[in-house]
Amino acid sequence: MKVVDTVYTYGYSDDEARHLAKKLKYNVKKLKLYVVCLPVIGDGLMEIYDYKHFQQSFYKGIKNDIVVIGFAPDKAGAEEIILSITQDLYDANCGFDIKKFFGV
């Protein structure tokens, strides 16, 4: 899993966010959070997943291709992150090119 440098968080202090981002990079199991990712399979802008979802055997081969752009302790927080990123994309006037926005 790759976590972008400017990862968006909701409901965590700065220290907690840095600690969790490090755990995400190393694919630590048993994290209770929701992640906002670039589309894992197919097209789209952003996707929300329960982190436990990525512990399934289907994702073992593609874990390196998963790009995390935000995380929150619950789905409502992840939805707030989506709204915030969408507003920032609009304000940046980058044509909703999310990969360019995050430098991926």
Side-chain angles (χ1 to χ4, degrees), residues 1 13 24 31 36 41 44 53-54 62 64 67 95 97-99 103:
M1 242 180 220
S13 69
L24 282 171
L31 292 178
V36 178
I41 300 170
H53 189 83
F54 294 119
I62 62 170
N64 292 335
V67 179
D97 185 354
I98 196 160
K99 289 183 178 183

Side-chain angles (χ1 to χ4, degrees), residues 16 18 22 28 30 38 41 43 49-50 52 101:
E16 290 173 321
R18 277 193 298 275
K22 204 176 282 188
V28 173
K30 303 206 181 202
L38 295 180
I41 300 170
D43 294 333
Y49 291 98
D50 185 334
K52 291 182 277 185
F101 183 74

Side-chain angles (χ1 to χ4, degrees), residues 37-92:
C37 303
L38 295 180
V40 176
I41 300 170
D43 294 333
L45 193 60
M46 295 174 267
E47 298 174 339
I48 298 173
Y49 291 98
D50 185 334
Y51 180 73
K52 291 182 277 185
H53 189 83
F54 294 119
Q55 303 309 314
Q56 297 176 16
S57 60
F58 175 77
Y59 290 97
K60 289 191 190 282
I62 62 170
K63 280 194 178 177
N64 292 335
D65 297 334
I66 299 169
V67 179
V68 176
I69 58 176
F71 55 87
D74 54 21
K75 191 169 184 178
E79 290 168 349
E80 287 293 325
I81 290 172
I82 295 263
L83 290 172
S84 180
I85 292 172
T86 304
Q87 184 63 50
D88 290 349
L89 282 168
Y90 179 78
D91 292 343

